[in-house]
């Protein structure tokens, strides 16, 4: 819940900036261009899925960001820091 507050209150609300912030916090680095593009596609897919299941746009956005964050938290890079 606190992470969501940080993410949604970030100075720049652009999707690219928020994804970069999530990667910086979780992975300690900015995403590469290909990773950024893939994460943006994932976020859009998750939003569309949530809307198709009947969620309001604001709820769908929050649900999509939760899913994106979970995906990043499940990366091997996050789990096994060396």
């Amino acid at each position: 819940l606190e992470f969501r507050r940080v993410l949604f209150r970030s100075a720049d609300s652009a999707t690219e900036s928020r994804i970069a912030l999530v990667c910086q916090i979780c992975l300690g680095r900015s995403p590469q261009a290909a990773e950024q593009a893939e994460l943006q596609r994932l976020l859009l897919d998750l939003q569309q899925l949530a809307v198709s299941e009947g969620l309001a746009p604001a709820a769908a956005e929050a649900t999509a960001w939760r899913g994106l964050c979970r995906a990043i938290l499940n990366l091997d890079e996050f789990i096994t820091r060396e």
Side-chain angles (χ1 to χ4, degrees), residues 36-48 64 67-72:
Q36 179 80 23
E38 186 63 33
L39 290 170
Q40 285 182 261
R41 279 191 295 273
L42 174 62
L43 184 66
L44 182 60
D45 289 347
L46 291 171
Q47 278 184 294
Q48 290 173 344
L68 181 107
C69 290
R70 285 181 177 165
I72 291 173

Side-chain angles (χ1 to χ4, degrees), residues 20-75:
L21 178 62
V22 171
C23 289
Q24 190 63 48
I25 291 170
C26 294
L27 306 176
R29 63 175 181 82
S30 297
Q32 297 174 0
E35 294 170 326
Q36 179 80 23
E38 186 63 33
L39 290 170
Q40 285 182 261
R41 279 191 295 273
L42 174 62
L43 184 66
L44 182 60
D45 289 347
L46 291 171
Q47 278 184 294
Q48 290 173 344
L49 178 62
V51 168
S52 74
E53 292 178 352
L55 290 178
E61 181 183 15
T63 298
W65 278 104
R66 186 172 20 267
L68 181 107
C69 290
R70 285 181 177 165
I72 291 173
L73 292 174
N74 279 302
L75 291 173

